[in-house]
Each structure stands twice: as C-alpha cells, then as structure tokens.
Amino acid sequence: MNQVLNLAKKLIEKPSTSDNKKALDEVLNICKKELSDFDLKEFEEEKVKSLLFFNTSTEKFKIIFNAHLDIVSAKNKQYRPFEKNKKLFGRGSYDMKTAAACMILLFKELSKKVNYPFGLQLVTDEEVGGFKGTKYQIEQGIRADFVIAGENTDLKINHKSKGIIWLKVKTKGISAHGAYPWLGDNAIWKMQKFLARLEKLYPIPNKEVWCTTVNLSMLDTPNKTSNKVPDACSAFLDIRYIPEDKDKVIANIEKLGDDFGLEIVLKEPEHSTDESNPYIQKLSNSIREVTNKDAELVSKPGASDLRHYNRVGCDGVTFGIIGDGHHSDNEWADIKSIKQYYNILENFLTKI
Ligand SMILES: [Zn+2]
C-alpha cells in the first residue's frame, strides 16, 4: 500500500498538463523506471507520447489497463500531495494518477504470472480528447477483449457514457438600417424561435439524469454595430447524447422546421458495453469479494478514452477509486478505497 501511495505522490508532484511536455516526459520516465524489467512499446503522434507495456502479445490483448497521466491545470499547492483524514490530496489524486499507480504496480506484480496477453497503456492526452494517445494506439492495431480505464468512478462500474455532437445552427435574414427594421428580416429573432422549439424538445434536466442534453454554448452574428438588422445568426450547441439516442438526435432537430441550417462541427461516439458482458460479471464478483457489497453499474455524462475502443468493437468500462473534486481546487482520493481498488483488480486479474 505504501508503494502505491509513494508512486502516486511522485506522479502528483509533476504538473503534467497536456501542454507541459517536460512534466509529461517526467511522469512517463517515472513509469518507465518503475517497470524497467518489462517489455515496452513507445508511441508518438505529433509530439504526444504514450506507452504500452505488454507481457506476451504486442497487439491483441485479453485485458488492457488504460490510464492517463495528464491532468487539468491546478493551483501550485496541489502539486504538493499530502495525506490528511485518511485522504490523499493533490491534483490527479482522484483523476487519475492514483489509479494509474495501482495499475502500474499490478502490472508489475501480475503480468508475468497470468497466462494471457495483458497490456498496460499509459497515455498523456486524455483530458484533451485522447486522439493522439489511446486513439492513435488503436489505429496502430491495438485491440483487447476488455479494457479497464481507471477513471474516477467511486468503485462503481461505469459501462456507458454519452456521445458528443457539436452542432452549428445557422439562420439567415435580410439586413436593413436599425431605424427601419420592417425593411429587413432579423436573423437573431429567427434563431430565437428555433431555440424556443429546441428548448421544448430538450429541456434542461434539474439534476443528473440519463438523457440527452443540449447546452447552448455560443451565439454569434456578423454584426459589428447596433444600428443594423443582422442578416445572419449562428448558435453553437454542445449535445451530449445517450447511446439509445445515437441515430435520433440530428433527425429530431431537423424536424424542428425548415428556416435554419445545420452543420456538424464534431461528432464523438458514445461508449456502451452491455451489462451482461462476462468481464463485467467477473469484475462485479471481485468487487463483492473484496468490499462485501454488491457492485453498482452506472452510466456517466462525461466522455472517456473508452469511446475510442468502442468504435472498433472492443468492450470496456471505466472503474476507479473513491474521492471528489476532480478538476477542482480541492481534489482528493479516499485512501481505504485505494487499497480496495488494488485488491479488486488483483482478484479480477487472477480469476479470469
Ligand atoms: Zn480522467
């Protein structure tokens, strides 16, 4: 347990935001040193580095552990990890350097003992989309029957996450002098009518529920002055869709009328692994054996690197320790849960 905490602290001390190449090199070197006796494949895509430790196979795995070592920016004091009230504080303690430390030490302990291909994937760009880390490795042929990413889930099994669509909506009007608005056709008012219909279709829930949500994130017109009727307006929507709505979202919005145009700016797939998946069952058993409680399956609004695996047909879940305050000024991990997490994954790896 001390080994896990010491390694986690060493990683937390480095300000490894995805733009800090020096700190990212340092965290990767800490991991390489820890696993210097193990086979390693190094990847680099547009200066983004990632690692894949492996025992036998170099491409097709039964199990891959996936951890990201990049973090979101933090106050300086968050790079000085400390323990207090049975909690480990510091940036990345919860999301997800502590889980990474567990995965590294589990790989060290078990990868030469298990009789199946087992990989440990360490990436450095999850917080900015994972395109040059996890996704790049997958493009190079890396596959697994089942992937566990150590994202913070409070020891619950997260088997579904929402997909993302960024949509630009455009309305057109006719410009005119602001004193003669009847001579023009105001594109913002047209947009307003569209937005009212959109709000009815996707009202904002008042708490976390498993449904598709739409955030109106930006409104824009080419107008540079107030005394003019705008002849164009665009609205940016950040849509987070549940896997069940995958093919319906755009169609539903298109049905809202014919006085606007749509442009898809970004589409990122959802992550979904069926709860009957045998590895989910085995992980649930391990959770029960270690904690004496039934495993809880959850769905999460935020996306993770697992969507890249889902896209090529590989199943997986995110599963991590208990804590709070990820991406905040007060991030911590529950120390008891770190030990449980280690034991659950150890149990899982030896029983599959
Ligand atoms: Zn994370």
Side-chain angles (χ1 to χ4, degrees), residues 68 70-71 94-97 126-127 150-152 303-304 326-327:
H68 70 82
D70 57 317
I71 44 160
Y94 184 43
D95 179 16
M96 53 166 286
K97 285 176 167 175
E126 193 278 340
E127 298 289 3
E151 296 289 359
N152 45 288
S304 78
H326 60 306
H327 296 205

mmCIF file of all heavy atoms in Angstrom, residues 68 70-71 94-97 126-127 150-152 303-304 326-327, ligand 1:
data_model
loop_
_atom_site.group_PDB
_atom_site.id
_atom_site.type_symbol
_atom_site.label_atom_id
_atom_site.label_comp_id
_atom_site.label_asym_id
_atom_site.label_seq_id
_atom_site.Cartn_x
_atom_site.Cartn_y
_atom_site.Cartn_z
ATOM 1 N N HIS A 68 -4.549 7.572 -17.878
ATOM 2 C CA HIS A 68 -3.975 8.809 -18.418
ATOM 3 C C HIS A 68 -3.189 9.522 -17.331
ATOM 4 O O HIS A 68 -3.610 9.578 -16.167
ATOM 5 C CB HIS A 68 -5.038 9.708 -19.056
ATOM 6 C CG HIS A 68 -6.011 10.353 -18.112
ATOM 7 N ND1 HIS A 68 -5.718 11.504 -17.409
ATOM 8 C CD2 HIS A 68 -7.282 10.039 -17.765
ATOM 9 C CE1 HIS A 68 -6.765 11.864 -16.689
ATOM 10 N NE2 HIS A 68 -7.734 10.985 -16.872
ATOM 11 N N ASP A 70 -1.979 12.701 -17.863
ATOM 12 C CA ASP A 70 -2.167 14.156 -17.954
ATOM 13 C C ASP A 70 -3.276 14.571 -16.993
ATOM 14 O O ASP A 70 -4.119 13.756 -16.596
ATOM 15 C CB ASP A 70 -2.497 14.584 -19.395
ATOM 16 C CG ASP A 70 -3.735 13.885 -19.948
ATOM 17 O OD1 ASP A 70 -3.881 12.667 -19.739
ATOM 18 O OD2 ASP A 70 -4.580 14.562 -20.574
ATOM 19 N N ILE A 71 -3.218 15.829 -16.620
ATOM 20 C CA ILE A 71 -4.178 16.381 -15.656
ATOM 21 C C ILE A 71 -4.682 17.717 -16.201
ATOM 22 O O ILE A 71 -4.109 18.244 -17.157
ATOM 23 C CB ILE A 71 -3.481 16.655 -14.299
ATOM 24 C CG1 ILE A 71 -2.116 17.323 -14.562
ATOM 25 C CG2 ILE A 71 -3.316 15.392 -13.487
ATOM 26 C CD1 ILE A 71 -1.565 18.049 -13.408
ATOM 27 N N TYR A 94 -7.402 11.877 -7.620
ATOM 28 C CA TYR A 94 -8.670 11.204 -7.924
ATOM 29 C C TYR A 94 -8.768 10.910 -9.432
ATOM 30 O O TYR A 94 -9.273 9.886 -9.852
ATOM 31 C CB TYR A 94 -9.788 12.122 -7.426
ATOM 32 C CG TYR A 94 -11.206 11.616 -7.545
ATOM 33 C CD1 TYR A 94 -11.549 10.305 -7.231
ATOM 34 C CD2 TYR A 94 -12.221 12.487 -7.931
ATOM 35 C CE1 TYR A 94 -12.863 9.870 -7.323
ATOM 36 C CE2 TYR A 94 -13.538 12.058 -8.014
ATOM 37 C CZ TYR A 94 -13.851 10.760 -7.715
ATOM 38 O OH TYR A 94 -15.151 10.345 -7.801
ATOM 39 N N ASP A 95 -8.295 11.839 -10.213
ATOM 40 C CA ASP A 95 -8.424 11.755 -11.687
ATOM 41 C C ASP A 95 -7.063 11.969 -12.322
ATOM 42 O O ASP A 95 -6.703 13.089 -12.640
ATOM 43 C CB ASP A 95 -9.420 12.823 -12.163
ATOM 44 C CG ASP A 95 -9.611 12.825 -13.669
ATOM 45 O OD1 ASP A 95 -9.235 11.837 -14.323
ATOM 46 O OD2 ASP A 95 -10.140 13.821 -14.200
ATOM 47 N N MET A 96 -6.333 10.910 -12.613
ATOM 48 C CA MET A 96 -6.392 9.571 -12.109
ATOM 49 C C MET A 96 -5.014 8.970 -11.861
ATOM 50 O O MET A 96 -4.727 7.848 -12.212
ATOM 51 C CB MET A 96 -7.181 8.673 -13.088
ATOM 52 C CG MET A 96 -6.665 8.740 -14.538
ATOM 53 S SD MET A 96 -7.331 7.393 -15.554
ATOM 54 C CE MET A 96 -6.363 6.034 -14.906
ATOM 55 N N LYS A 97 -4.150 9.755 -11.254
ATOM 56 C CA LYS A 97 -2.776 9.278 -11.056
ATOM 57 C C LYS A 97 -2.684 8.177 -9.991
ATOM 58 O O LYS A 97 -1.790 7.329 -10.061
ATOM 59 C CB LYS A 97 -1.866 10.447 -10.706
ATOM 60 C CG LYS A 97 -1.555 11.319 -11.936
ATOM 61 C CD LYS A 97 -0.728 12.528 -11.596
ATOM 62 C CE LYS A 97 -0.167 13.177 -12.861
ATOM 63 N NZ LYS A 97 0.546 14.429 -12.544
ATOM 64 N N GLU A 126 -5.561 12.443 -22.510
ATOM 65 C CA GLU A 126 -6.989 12.124 -22.323
ATOM 66 C C GLU A 126 -7.813 13.376 -22.083
ATOM 67 O O GLU A 126 -8.926 13.512 -22.590
ATOM 68 C CB GLU A 126 -7.164 11.142 -21.151
ATOM 69 C CG GLU A 126 -8.558 10.510 -21.069
ATOM 70 C CD GLU A 126 -9.627 11.359 -20.399
ATOM 71 O OE1 GLU A 126 -9.281 12.291 -19.650
ATOM 72 O OE2 GLU A 126 -10.827 11.119 -20.631
ATOM 73 N N GLU A 127 -7.255 14.306 -21.305
ATOM 74 C CA GLU A 127 -8.027 15.499 -20.953
ATOM 75 C C GLU A 127 -8.287 16.398 -22.167
ATOM 76 O O GLU A 127 -9.083 17.314 -22.097
ATOM 77 C CB GLU A 127 -7.321 16.293 -19.838
ATOM 78 C CG GLU A 127 -7.173 15.535 -18.520
ATOM 79 C CD GLU A 127 -8.492 15.343 -17.765
ATOM 80 O OE1 GLU A 127 -9.550 15.745 -18.283
ATOM 81 O OE2 GLU A 127 -8.451 14.776 -16.662
ATOM 82 N N GLY A 150 -8.931 3.604 -15.709
ATOM 83 C CA GLY A 150 -9.019 3.881 -14.266
ATOM 84 C C GLY A 150 -9.615 5.220 -13.896
ATOM 85 O O GLY A 150 -9.250 5.810 -12.881
ATOM 86 N N GLU A 151 -10.531 5.721 -14.700
ATOM 87 C CA GLU A 151 -11.184 6.999 -14.370
ATOM 88 C C GLU A 151 -11.939 6.879 -13.048
ATOM 89 O O GLU A 151 -12.449 5.829 -12.697
ATOM 90 C CB GLU A 151 -12.177 7.388 -15.477
ATOM 91 C CG GLU A 151 -11.553 7.649 -16.829
ATOM 92 C CD GLU A 151 -10.757 8.933 -16.874
ATOM 93 O OE1 GLU A 151 -10.688 9.656 -15.855
ATOM 94 O OE2 GLU A 151 -10.171 9.209 -17.942
ATOM 95 N N ASN A 152 -12.025 8.007 -12.351
ATOM 96 C CA ASN A 152 -12.671 8.052 -11.043
ATOM 97 C C ASN A 152 -14.158 7.688 -11.140
ATOM 98 O O ASN A 152 -14.937 8.389 -11.777
ATOM 99 C CB ASN A 152 -12.514 9.459 -10.472
ATOM 100 C CG ASN A 152 -12.811 10.518 -11.526
ATOM 101 O OD1 ASN A 152 -12.027 10.710 -12.449
ATOM 102 N ND2 ASN A 152 -13.940 11.172 -11.424
ATOM 103 N N ALA A 303 -17.434 12.007 -21.338
ATOM 104 C CA ALA A 303 -16.810 11.035 -22.233
ATOM 105 C C ALA A 303 -15.453 10.607 -21.683
ATOM 106 O O ALA A 303 -14.828 11.326 -20.920
ATOM 107 C CB ALA A 303 -16.628 11.660 -23.614
ATOM 108 N N SER A 304 -14.996 9.421 -22.057
ATOM 109 C CA SER A 304 -13.642 8.980 -21.696
ATOM 110 C C SER A 304 -12.999 8.344 -22.918
ATOM 111 O O SER A 304 -13.632 8.166 -23.955
ATOM 112 C CB SER A 304 -13.686 7.975 -20.548
ATOM 113 O OG SER A 304 -14.068 6.706 -21.051
ATOM 114 N N HIS A 326 -12.450 16.310 -8.649
ATOM 115 C CA HIS A 326 -11.626 16.288 -9.849
ATOM 116 C C HIS A 326 -11.885 17.567 -10.638
ATOM 117 O O HIS A 326 -12.994 18.083 -10.682
ATOM 118 C CB HIS A 326 -11.865 15.027 -10.683
ATOM 119 C CG HIS A 326 -13.263 14.845 -11.172
ATOM 120 N ND1 HIS A 326 -14.349 14.855 -10.343
ATOM 121 C CD2 HIS A 326 -13.737 14.640 -12.413
ATOM 122 C CE1 HIS A 326 -15.434 14.665 -11.055
ATOM 123 N NE2 HIS A 326 -15.099 14.538 -12.317
ATOM 124 N N HIS A 327 -10.846 18.082 -11.200
ATOM 125 C CA HIS A 327 -10.840 19.356 -11.942
ATOM 126 C C HIS A 327 -11.128 20.556 -11.011
ATOM 127 O O HIS A 327 -11.362 21.656 -11.495
ATOM 128 C CB HIS A 327 -11.843 19.365 -13.116
ATOM 129 C CG HIS A 327 -11.530 18.356 -14.187
ATOM 130 N ND1 HIS A 327 -11.929 18.497 -15.504
ATOM 131 C CD2 HIS A 327 -10.842 17.189 -14.150
ATOM 132 C CE1 HIS A 327 -11.515 17.449 -16.204
ATOM 133 N NE2 HIS A 327 -10.857 16.643 -15.393
HETATM 134 ZN ZN ZN B 1 -9.691 11.375 -16.069
#
